[in-house]
Amino acid sequence: MQTNQTKIHHEIDEIKRGMRRTWAQIGCLLSEIDETGYWRGDSATFTAWMSSHAADFGVGLTILWAQLRMVRYYRNTMLGDLRGWGIKSPADAYDLPEVVKCDLMEIYSRIANVAPDDVKRALAEKVMTGTARRRELRATWHAYRNQ
């Protein structure tokens, strides 16, 4: 049985070798790195670790933070809402299908704080099925953000 540290190290090595991971899988890995303290042996802070390893993931630091935030948002907030609404969704963010886009989920997360449930439900279903469009989400965000 692999320890968390060994598993994390293996995952990072596979990513460095070009093994593809979805944004959600990377976000889950980052969450595990943070929660286990894996970064402590290498850096003074988690942010410093992410900064020094962003190139390993092939994206910038801002994107890594977004992936981590959306994994946590899915696990802590969105999954419960989806289940309450009866919308089919994986039990963990790691298994989110590729049609679920991180940037669209991020806009949705802002909308979810201010919009009524019927709007949230309709948009959540679109985000989860890959039919949400940035223009629609941004327009909805602009309509509700100051309310």
Side-chain angles (χ1 to χ4, degrees), residues 17-147:
R17 288 195 315 267
M19 298 285 290
R20 193 179 174 308
R21 298 291 189 274
T22 66
W23 71 263
Q25 291 168 342
I26 290 172
C28 289
L29 177 60
L30 293 171
S31 182
E32 192 170 358
I33 288 167
D34 185 25
E35 291 166 9
T36 63
Y38 178 87
W39 55 268
R40 291 187 199 283
D42 200 24
S43 301
T45 65
F46 180 56
T47 299
W49 186 92
M50 286 191 19
S51 236
S52 66
H53 288 82
D56 296 341
F57 294 96
V59 297
L61 184 59
T62 303
I63 299 295
L64 289 179
W65 276 116
Q67 293 170 342
L68 176 59
R69 267 193 322 276
M70 289 306 98
V71 160
R72 289 178 173 166
Y73 175 75
Y74 182 82
R75 288 175 171 171
N76 298 328
T77 304
M78 191 173 187
L79 181 58
D81 290 344
L82 294 168
R83 287 184 172 165
W85 293 321
I87 297 173
K88 187 178 180 211
S89 50
D92 187 59
Y94 189 88
D95 299 314
L96 282 169
E98 289 192 48
V99 298
V100 177
K101 304 299 181 197
C102 182
D103 59 326
L104 299 182
M105 186 182 285
E106 193 161 28
I107 298 168
Y108 170 80
S109 72
R110 287 182 278 174
I111 295 166
N113 287 324
V114 294
D117 278 351
D118 60 325
V119 172
K120 290 177 1 183
R121 185 195 186 291
L123 292 177
E125 191 158 22
K126 287 183 176 188
V127 168
M128 293 304 296
T129 59
T131 59
R133 297 294 171 250
R134 174 183 296 282
R135 178 177 290 145
E136 175 187 20
L137 291 173
R138 288 181 55 82
T140 304
W141 167 240
H142 289 292
Y144 287 101
R145 71 178 175 184
N146 293 321
Q147 292 185 6

